[in-house]
């Protein structure tokens, strides 16, 4: 289908960016789009997904090649997320978590031994990682977490529980955030085989059905000292991971929005009612025109954010604004385009309802829509309203 690029943002991309975007799009068209509806209906992951994502360089794209990453810039990372989410938010979530929430903290705060041990396997998708921050009693306020890391012999004992964790049931390792005896936030790498560690699956989701979600439960799990991330002792650790993932989400959801827009446009041109294509009626044109306007604004925002991020100048507050705006934009387009398809909008023959249901999670995770608004409010006024 024709590129959705009303303001020629593609001209701002390098040849390498365009090549990577094309490669990931081709991967999604071949490996994801033909199979994703059935996987989502059956509430299971696409088989072999992580290995396939690793093979196309979609895991840890900005991690240096020395550690198995692709050493690409932040715009390339954004474009990869966009093309993955045009397939399904579950596929983008898997790559986001592995890249920004697992590989990023190990690369940024880990020891050289930890980098060498974990990053190449994570980049290939041979190992699947998860990220444990949210707890049953602490979602938007993770700094009040209750999971505890207490010294024991030459290592530590980990106790507590994390909830709503992407890939928990299938992870080989988890980067987990816990409070030490001084109340400082520490990051630890918990391996699947550690005694006292379990990962029950969360069933019956209506959203992100092709992504496994679950709990991480720690019952006196012994953590050797070499599994503690040495270079972080505060909320800066998990928040910096979230910044990286939220930035990727701001791009990713543009992919879902474009998939809905293109589906709706094609349908509107072909579907005739009252003797004319529904695309000829003003009400449907209003929808399509607004979809394209909102997609264009989101593309420009994420592209500019990517430039700032490449220069090390993107602020967490700018990232909050882009995540909030773009996810809401995609969700509204999914909801409106579902209506444009009439009854056809509710069946799996078209991707819209699946995108819509997925985006109901994306608007909540990685900071809710409301919390991101309060972050902008705080930035403008200096008053924290949360
Ligand atoms: C599918 C899925 C996957 C996820 N994956 C992960 C993962 O991999 N790792 C991880 O750690 N977490 C994960 N999460 C958890 C997610 O980050 C949390 O759900 C999110 O941070 C919100 O927390 P909560 O659900 O506890 O909502 P709450 O914090 O209880 O919020 C409930 C409502 O209250 C509002 N609210 C809260 N505080 C305030 C305030 N001060 N002022 C105004 N309104 C307020 C919120 O905006 C929200 O609308 C995932 C969630 C989902 C749904």
């Amino acid at each position: 289908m024709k590129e959705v690029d009303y303001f020629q943002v593609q001209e701002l991309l390098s040849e390498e960016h365009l090549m990577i975007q094309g490669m990931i799009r081709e991967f999604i068209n071949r490996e994801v789009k033909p199979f994703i509806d059935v996987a989502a209906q059956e509430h299971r992951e696409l088989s072999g997904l992580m290995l396939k994502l690793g093979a196309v360089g979609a895991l840890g794209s900005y991690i240096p090649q020395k550690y198995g990453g692709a050493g690409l810039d932040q715009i390339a990372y954004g474009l990869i997320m966009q093309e993955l989410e045009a397939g399904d938010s579950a596929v983008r979530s898997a790559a986001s978590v592995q890249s920004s929430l697992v590989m990023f903290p190990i690369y940024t705060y880990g020891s050289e031994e930890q980098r060498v041990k974990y990053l190449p396997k994570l980049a290939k998708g041979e190992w699947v990682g998860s990220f444990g921050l949210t707890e049953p009693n602490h979602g938007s306020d993770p700094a009040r977490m209750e999971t505890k890391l207490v010294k024991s012999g030459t290592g530590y004992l980990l106790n507590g529980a994390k909830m709503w964790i992407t890939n928990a049931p299938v992870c080989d390792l988890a980067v987990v955030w816990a409070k030490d005896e001084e109340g400082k936030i520490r990051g630890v790498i918990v391996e699947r085989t550690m005694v006292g560690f379990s990962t029950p699956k969360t069933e019956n989701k209506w959203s992100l059905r092709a992504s496994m979600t679950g709990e991480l439960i720690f019952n006196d799990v012994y953590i050797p000292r070499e599994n503690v991330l040495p270079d972080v002792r505060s909320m800066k650790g998990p928040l910096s991971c979230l910044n990286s993932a939220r930035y990727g989400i701001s791009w990713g959801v543009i992919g879902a929005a474009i998939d809905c827009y293109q589906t709706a446009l094609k349908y509107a041109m072909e579907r005739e009612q009252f003797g004319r294509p529904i695309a000829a009626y003003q009400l449907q044109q209003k929808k399509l025109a607004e979809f394209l306007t909102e997609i264009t604004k989101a593309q420009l925002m994420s592209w500019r954010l990517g430039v700032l991020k490449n220069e090390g100048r993107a602020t967490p507050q700018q990232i909050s604004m882009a995540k909030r705006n773009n996810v809401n934009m995609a969700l509204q387009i999914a909801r409106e385009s579902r209506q444009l398809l009439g009854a056809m909008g509710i069946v799996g023959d078209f991707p819209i309802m699946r995108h819509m249901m997925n985006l109901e999670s994306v608007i909540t995770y990685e900071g809710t829509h409301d919390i991101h608004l309060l972050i902008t409010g705080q930035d403008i006024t200096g008053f924290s309203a949360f």
Side-chain angles (χ1 to χ4, degrees), residues 93 97 101 129-142 162-168 175 177 205 207-209 211-214 216 242 246 358 360-372 374 384-386:
S93 296
V97 169
L101 302 182
S130 68
F131 172 88
L133 180 63
T134 306
E135 298 186 351
N137 295 328
H138 302 286
S140 299
D141 63 347
K162 301 287 177 179
M163 200 176 175
W164 301 114
I165 307 304
T166 302
N167 275 345
V175 170
W177 301 94
K205 287 183 300 163
S207 175
L208 286 180
R209 287 174 62 83
S211 164
M212 295 303 105
T213 310
L216 303 173
L242 293 174
R246 289 166 180 171
N358 286 341
E360 292 289 350
S361 284
V362 182
I363 202 162
T364 284
Y365 71 25
E366 302 271 354
T368 69
H369 188 65
D370 285 342
I371 294 292
H372 285 302
L374 296 179
S384 165
F386 54 100

Side-chain angles (χ1 to χ4, degrees), residues 115-164:
R115 292 177 184 168
V116 170
K117 179 175 176 188
Y118 297 109
L119 292 177
K121 288 201 168 65
L122 289 163
K124 287 196 187 107
E126 288 171 4
W127 282 356
V128 177
S130 68
F131 172 88
L133 180 63
T134 306
E135 298 186 351
N137 295 328
H138 302 286
S140 299
D141 63 347
R144 292 172 188 241
M145 69 178 72
E146 294 163 44
T147 300
K148 281 264 168 339
L149 188 69
V150 174
K151 275 212 170 103
S152 171
T154 55
Y156 296 84
L157 282 181
L158 183 66
N159 276 290
K162 301 287 177 179
M163 200 176 175
W164 301 114

Side-chain angles (χ1 to χ4, degrees), residues 7-179:
F7 268 42
Q8 285 103 35
V9 177
Q10 296 260 314
E11 290 175 13
L12 303 169
L13 306 177
S14 67
E15 291 219 345
E16 188 184 45
H17 291 145
L18 294 173
M19 194 264 294
I20 291 160
Q21 182 176 25
M23 189 185 69
I24 302 292
R25 186 173 297 177
E26 194 272 324
F27 164 76
I28 287 293
N29 288 339
R30 179 170 34 88
E31 298 284 347
V32 173
K33 286 195 173 172
F35 312 108
I36 189 67
D37 181 68
V38 174
Q41 300 271 6
E42 294 176 358
H43 207 331
R44 61 170 172 78
E45 282 189 315
L46 290 173
S47 67
L49 177 68
M50 293 306 276
L51 286 168
K52 288 177 188 169
L53 287 173
V56 289
L59 303 177
S61 60
Y62 56 80
I63 300 290
Q65 290 177 339
K66 182 179 165 195
Y67 302 109
L72 297 170
D73 73 355
Q74 291 293 324
I75 302 255
Y77 174 59
L79 288 165
I80 291 170
M81 295 298 120
Q82 179 180 306
E83 296 307 321
L84 294 181
E85 198 146 358
D88 194 89
S89 303
V91 177
R92 198 270 306 140
S93 296
S96 280
V97 169
Q98 187 94 340
S99 304
S100 286
L101 302 182
V102 179
M103 296 177 73
F104 173 83
I106 294 175
Y107 173 66
T108 311
Y109 305 115
S111 64
E112 188 57 19
E113 291 73 26
Q114 289 167 344
R115 292 177 184 168
V116 170
K117 179 175 176 188
Y118 297 109
L119 292 177
K121 288 201 168 65
L122 289 163
K124 287 196 187 107
E126 288 171 4
W127 282 356
V128 177
S130 68
F131 172 88
L133 180 63
T134 306
E135 298 186 351
N137 295 328
H138 302 286
S140 299
D141 63 347
R144 292 172 188 241
M145 69 178 72
E146 294 163 44
T147 300
K148 281 264 168 339
L149 188 69
V150 174
K151 275 212 170 103
S152 171
T154 55
Y156 296 84
L157 282 181
L158 183 66
N159 276 290
K162 301 287 177 179
M163 200 176 175
W164 301 114
I165 307 304
T166 302
N167 275 345
V170 294
C171 72
D172 299 286
L173 60 95
V175 170
V176 175
W177 301 94
K179 265 189 193 154

